Amino acid sequence: MARFHDTSRRVLRPSSQSDVVAGSLQCSESGKQYATLSNLESHKQTHGSSTKKCETCGKAYLSKSALHKHLMTHNQTHACNICGKLFSRPWLLKCHKRSHTGERPYCCAHCGKTFSGRSNLRVHIQLHSTDKKFECHRCHKTFAVKLDLRRHLLNLVCLNSLPDDSRADIEMAIFSTLDE
């Protein structure tokens, strides 16, 4: 079994103002949403005519080197020695192994909660944001993360705050959507 020699807690802090998560930013051409302005700006460049496309999946990239990195995702050669799951990059395998070891080296500077991966910490940090632009149309509670609003919309506590006739219509719509 692999040993992890770095047991220190790493705290993720935004490296610049453009990396601060302030809700989602949406591309006007594709509708895709991004957490940072720098990610949105990078994405917008993929709509240009000089993009390189992956022949396997059709994703667009600005440079040959970016396309080459992407092509590795279609060639998964790094296997977990515990469960056999395959990964395209050694660092993805290393992060995956944490699911077996329980290692959680990334720590939230706001509340101290720990995470096995940096991306999970980034999503969590959004919970501490004061910019809560996702609003429930039923009870007007606001959320910093769109996924939390989606979960809330399925929450029966919120449904119970509505009049019986409205609640029945919404419950029927939710449960018919879940059955599909």
Side-chain angles (χ1 to χ4, degrees):
M1 183 192 256
R3 294 177 61 207
F4 296 95
H5 57 278
D6 182 11
T7 58
S8 64
R9 297 264 186 235
R10 286 172 260 175
V11 177
L12 183 65
R13 290 185 174 87
S15 58
S16 70
Q17 190 60 32
S18 65
D19 289 335
V20 174
V21 176
S24 294
L25 302 167
Q26 189 169 25
C27 173
S28 57
E29 284 190 53
S30 67
K32 289 186 177 183
Q33 293 195 346
Y34 294 89
T36 66
L37 186 57
S38 60
N39 288 349
L40 174 62
E41 293 302 323
S42 295
H43 163 77
K44 283 183 176 182
Q45 293 175 4
T46 65
H47 295 302
S49 60
S50 63
T51 59
K52 283 67 173 161
K53 291 203 180 224
C54 173
E55 292 180 11
T56 305
C57 67
K59 287 188 175 181
Y61 294 89
L62 299 175
S63 66
K64 285 183 181 179
S65 62
L67 175 60
H68 179 71
K69 283 182 183 179
H70 164 75
L71 290 173
M72 290 175 62
T73 65
H74 298 299
N75 185 19
Q76 298 182 336
T77 57
H78 302 278
C80 176
N81 61 354
I82 298 168
C83 69
K85 188 171 181 177
L86 295 171
F87 297 89
S88 61
R89 294 174 175 85
W91 63 269
L92 290 171
L93 173 59
K94 181 180 177 180
C95 291
H96 163 75
K97 284 187 175 183
R98 291 181 185 136
S99 69
H100 299 298
T101 65
E103 181 187 18
R104 299 168 70 90
Y106 299 95
C107 183
C108 176
H110 297 281
C111 68
K113 187 171 182 178
T114 59
F115 298 88
S116 60
R118 183 178 288 142
S119 61
N120 294 335
L121 174 57
R122 283 192 183 117
V123 170
H124 167 79
I125 286 173
Q126 292 179 31
L127 297 175
H128 298 293
S129 172
T130 57
D131 182 19
K132 297 184 178 189
K133 69 177 198 169
F134 302 103
E135 183 177 329
C136 175
H137 63 279
R138 298 190 303 241
C139 70
H140 305 290
K141 184 173 180 178
T142 57
F143 301 88
V145 181
K146 189 173 189 177
L147 179 60
D148 289 341
L149 171 60
R150 287 182 183 162
R151 286 185 188 133
H152 170 81
L153 289 171
L154 295 172
N155 185 340
L156 295 178
V157 173
C158 178
L159 285 175
N160 289 336
S161 67
L162 297 173
D164 288 339
D165 54 343
S166 298
R167 185 173 58 231
D169 292 341
I170 292 171
E171 285 175 343
M172 183 67 89
I174 289 172
F175 293 117
S176 66
T177 303
L178 294 175
D179 290 337
E180 293 175 355

